[in-house]
Amino acid sequence: MGRYRCQGTMEIPETPPGDETAPRQQSKVVDEEEWKKKWEQKNTSFHKDQVHRLADMGHTITGVDVSEIGLKDFFTEQNIPYVEEDVPAIPGAKLFKSSSGNISLYCCSFYDFIRIPAKYDGIWDKGSLVAINPCDRERYAKTVLSLMEQDCCYLLVTVLYNPVLIEGPPFYVPNSVIEKLYGESCDIRLLQTVDSLDERTRGWGLDYYCERIHLLTLKANSP
């Protein structure tokens, strides 16, 4: 098998393995309670204390997560004062909004979020599609598409590694899956492949781990 280099010196297979090489991943299911428990137990090695905030550049930000702890921790870690509100459109949901009003984080299921009538001109998906159960990917993609303005720029980050070695998450999402989920509605362009192998991913037994950044835009004839 040929090899090529991603950014840096890391070499990865020229033809990455297909989705069919990860049968363990295809049947893996992580439910909401398990996700919440990760935050309760501070089992969040994926979490970054330092973030690059688009809000600092003047953008209005909306986020969604089922973990109330994770959302509150964001405001606490970034020293951002916030208020808590109920969400009438989604029973049981909560909204955590910065006092300045430019950051709104909803605590609810992502699939319930579409009850709030809104569309967005930008979507940043890092650690979301790769964490969604493989059996839920089509539902997830349909929800994302319903939130996109016609001129929306959807930045999607997937990860490339040998899926035989770990069951995920993060799950391996090959280009064929991205095309299946979004190809009919979106133009898809790979912007960058970055070597992200570090001590944590080496500890999983991996010898390569790359992040791939894709730009998705709605096709002109997309509904």
Side-chain angles (χ1 to χ4, degrees), residues 103-123:
I103 301 177
S104 298
L105 304 183
Y106 288 83
C107 184
C108 64
S109 166
F110 180 65
Y111 306 116
D112 289 334
F113 184 65
I114 57 175
R115 298 183 188 179
I116 299 173
K119 288 183 179 290
Y120 300 90
D121 55 14
I123 296 176

Side-chain angles (χ1 to χ4, degrees), residues 30-166:
V30 179
D31 61 27
E32 290 185 2
E33 292 307 313
E34 187 174 347
W35 177 250
K36 292 177 183 178
K37 188 173 294 184
K38 285 180 179 292
W39 282 99
E40 292 170 0
Q41 299 175 345
K42 303 299 182 182
N43 182 20
T44 54
S45 58
F46 53 84
H47 179 58
K48 305 295 185 183
D49 292 331
Q50 294 185 343
V51 297
H52 302 286
R53 293 210 308 266
L54 291 172
D56 293 339
M57 302 170 64
H59 297 285
T60 299
I61 306 300
T62 301
V64 187
D65 201 291
V66 295
S67 171
E68 182 172 329
I69 293 175
L71 297 179
K72 287 182 174 179
D73 280 358
F74 166 79
F75 287 108
T76 301
E77 291 168 0
Q78 303 303 314
N79 296 313
I80 301 174
Y82 68 94
V83 295
E84 179 179 333
E85 302 175 2
D86 291 329
V87 183
I90 308 174
K94 294 181 180 180
L95 168 61
F96 301 95
K97 181 186 293 186
S98 63
S99 298
S100 61
N102 63 337
I103 301 177
S104 298
L105 304 183
Y106 288 83
C107 184
C108 64
S109 166
F110 180 65
Y111 306 116
D112 289 334
F113 184 65
I114 57 175
R115 298 183 188 179
I116 299 173
K119 288 183 179 290
Y120 300 90
D121 55 14
I123 296 176
W124 173 237
D125 183 335
K126 186 178 190 299
S128 187
L129 178 61
V130 298
I132 295 296
N133 297 320
C135 61
D136 293 328
R137 284 173 180 165
E138 289 191 11
R139 184 184 182 193
Y140 174 85
K142 288 179 180 178
T143 302
V144 170
L145 290 169
S146 73
L147 297 172
M148 295 176 67
E149 288 278 16
Q150 186 59 47
D151 60 350
C152 178
C153 291
Y154 172 23
L155 287 174
L156 169 64
V157 181
T158 59
V159 289
L160 175 65
Y161 61 83
N162 185 344
V164 175
L165 299 178
I166 62 173

